Amino acid sequence: SQQGEEDPQALSIQEGENATMNCSYKTSINNLQWYRQNSGRGLVHLILIRSNEREKHSGRLRVTLDTSKKSSSLLITASRAADTASYFCATDGAGTGRRALTFGSGTRLQVQP
Amino acid sequence: DAGVTQSPTHLIKTRGQQVTLRCSPKSGHDTVSWYQQALGQGPQFIFQYYEEEERQRGNFPDRFSGHQFPNYSSELNVNALLLGDSALYLCASSLDWTGTGELFFGEGSRLTVL
């Protein structure tokens, strides 16, 4: 079963708007990561937030983590057409004993020019 | 500095055949993980190799096997192919075998089983 589940499954916005994606997970974690995937390509790491952090910024990206609710959000500000991609959260196996990242099913973001 | 490279990029097989996919990790990385990604889904963890041994395995049958060579490159083998094995197979490398660090992905091998 998926450890992380993203919401919404799909999101369509206009260029310049902000995009917010949410991720919920089930077990304890050491950290949570967000990845981006252009259609049919490999995944690219965006940002990692540790379990003792509540918020982290990287350029136009802002990630929050609420370990009490087992949830995270990714905010992309001032979106661009080039941000069109699928976005995945990934959790480590601290709560499962598995030493591997587990990915959610992703949010497909479409940014209209 | 070359990133993660995978070969072949695309291949077509028929049910019952066997396939071997190859991966060269990012320079300096010693840990390789393999993921299967079905269309419209997130990547599913197959297994991880470190020091030429399988260290972790996901919920995949024994038809899926792998190998890691002394130069850290890796192969994924799938026997007795099923239609459901059609997917994008992603290789990822890292410096961290604990499964908590950043993964660097290749562009994947797209397998179609007819």
Side-chain angles (χ1 to χ4, degrees):
Chain A
S1 62
Q2 299 279 12
Q3 163 72 319
E5 292 293 340
E6 290 87 345
D7 170 58
Q9 291 186 342
L11 179 61
S12 182
I13 60 174
Q14 297 293 318
E15 215 168 20
E17 294 180 338
N18 295 341
T20 299
M21 289 158 267
N22 303 297
C23 168
S24 60
Y25 58 93
K26 298 176 183 175
T27 64
S28 60
I29 58 172
N30 289 316
N31 64 55
L32 184 144
Q33 303 181 41
W34 285 89
Y35 287 78
R36 165 196 166 122
Q37 183 181 36
N38 287 351
S39 181
R41 307 289 297 277
L43 280 74
V44 175
H45 180 264
L46 294 176
I47 196 166
L48 179 153
I49 186 166
R50 302 190 188 285
S51 59
N52 61 353
E53 298 177 308
R54 291 297 168 259
E55 187 171 312
K56 198 163 183 179
H57 296 255
S58 176
R60 293 184 296 113
L61 305 181
R62 172 179 170 255
V63 169
T64 63
L65 179 64
D66 186 334
T67 53
S68 66
K69 295 181 179 178
K70 292 187 170 58
S71 68
S72 174
S73 67
L74 170 66
L75 169 67
I76 304 174
T77 60
S79 63
R80 306 165 181 169
D83 294 328
T84 294
S86 290
Y87 292 82
F88 297 91
C89 68
T91 52
D92 61 38
T96 64
R98 171 180 290 176
R99 293 189 297 271
L101 288 185
T102 301
F103 288 81
S105 53
T107 292
R108 285 172 290 286
L109 174 66
Q110 177 77 39
V111 181
Q112 306 286 350
Chain B
D1 178 26
V4 179
T5 58
Q6 293 187 241
S7 64
T9 55
H10 295 83
L11 68 167
I12 299 173
K13 295 284 187 179
T14 57
R15 280 180 298 175
Q17 285 190 314
Q18 178 263 343
V19 67
T20 296
L21 308 179
R22 295 176 177 82
C23 171
S24 292
K26 180 178 170 63
S27 178
H29 286 188
D30 57 6
T31 302
V32 173
S33 300
W34 287 91
Y35 285 82
Q36 180 196 65
Q37 186 178 26
L39 199 61
Q41 300 297 315
Q44 296 289 308
F45 174 70
I46 303 175
F47 42 54
Q48 176 202 70
Y49 277 85
Y50 171 69
E51 291 187 337
E52 301 179 51
E53 289 188 15
E54 183 183 294
R55 299 291 178 167
Q56 290 284 299
R57 189 178 183 91
N59 297 325
F60 280 80
D62 291 344
R63 299 187 297 109
F64 289 77
S65 64
H67 190 78
Q68 185 178 37
F69 299 94
N71 65 353
Y72 307 129
S73 67
S74 177
E75 288 183 350
L76 164 65
N77 300 291
V78 187
N79 294 322
L81 285 168
L82 304 174
L83 295 180
D85 295 332
S86 294
L88 181 67
Y89 288 85
L90 294 162
C91 171
S93 72
S94 66
L95 288 168
D96 171 21
W97 66 273
T98 67
T100 60
E102 176 184 351
L103 294 181
F104 291 78
F105 282 86
E107 295 292 352
S109 295
R110 182 161 299 281
L111 170 65
T112 301
V113 182
L114 302 177

